[in-house]
Amino acid sequence: LQRVLVEGEKYQLTHAANLSRGAKFVNLNHLIDDKLTCIFDRLSHHTNFFYGRYDIKCHSIEDLWTGANFLILEFNGSGAEPNHVYNAGYSLREAQKEFLKHWGILYKISKHNHQQGIHYWPFLKGLRFLRSAKKHLQLLEEFDSKIIF
């Protein structure tokens, strides 16, 4: 806020973690306990975010367990893949199991929602949504490719 950029100057606010740009994700699932689950349940339920993945940055695991000094960089909904399988020592077979587990959970959520009166999308509506999402992603990737590091 103390600096005005000259016209055409680019300023990067932060570096986003991205597998395609060499980021390394560390799987810390073994550190999840009831206290941590409670912290994220409170956050999630407040925003109607019931299944997905948080990408977070924190000073320490201890801070995270107390719900202090962490930032939510992104929360990815049900369409996000379980990226903890990358760079975390998973074999191909173990990674496939994680993906199957993910899709199994999505199936159960979909079935539950349907039983609660939320109708399944017709095939064409789903196809249109996927095509629209793909176009949006391509646009984001185009913008991302213009960022100079």
Side-chain angles (χ1 to χ4, degrees):
L1 293 176
Q2 306 304 318
R3 182 172 162 222
V4 177
L5 302 179
V6 296
E7 187 174 340
E9 181 181 359
K10 294 182 181 185
Y11 181 81
Q12 185 167 342
L13 297 175
T14 185
H15 294 280
N18 186 312
L19 285 170
S20 67
R21 292 208 170 137
K24 182 175 182 180
F25 293 98
V26 179
N27 182 1
L28 299 176
N29 285 353
H30 63 283
L31 300 175
I32 297 171
D33 62 6
D34 290 341
K35 190 173 185 178
L36 194 58
T37 299
C38 184
I39 289 167
F40 280 92
D41 275 354
R42 280 198 320 265
L43 285 169
S44 300
H45 296 169
H46 178 71
T47 59
N48 292 323
F49 181 64
F50 297 107
Y51 182 73
R53 180 189 78 235
Y54 282 100
D55 293 346
I56 59 172
K57 187 175 188 177
C58 62
H59 293 282
S60 69
I61 296 301
E62 290 75 21
D63 278 350
L64 191 58
W65 277 326
T66 63
N69 300 319
F70 73 93
L71 297 171
I72 298 172
L73 303 173
E74 195 175 295
F75 55 97
N76 299 274
S78 59
E81 61 188 351
N83 72 350
H84 63 275
V85 301
Y86 301 111
N87 296 345
Y90 278 75
S91 69
L92 177 59
R93 187 173 188 82
E94 291 167 331
Q96 288 171 332
K97 281 184 177 180
E98 286 294 313
F99 282 103
L100 289 173
K101 178 180 166 188
H102 174 70
W103 282 101
I105 291 168
L106 292 177
Y107 169 76
K108 289 176 183 175
I109 291 170
S110 179
K111 189 175 176 182
H112 171 80
N113 286 343
H114 186 71
Q115 291 168 346
Q116 302 304 310
I118 300 172
H119 299 291
Y120 297 124
W121 279 6
F123 175 78
L124 285 178
K125 182 176 180 179
L127 183 62
R128 286 186 195 109
F129 176 81
L130 288 175
R131 285 181 178 161
S132 174
K134 184 177 180 180
K135 284 181 186 177
H136 183 73
L137 180 60
Q138 287 171 338
L139 183 63
L140 291 175
E141 287 173 345
E142 180 184 326
F143 290 149
D144 196 36
S145 71
K146 293 179 182 177
I147 296 174
I148 299 172
F149 292 100

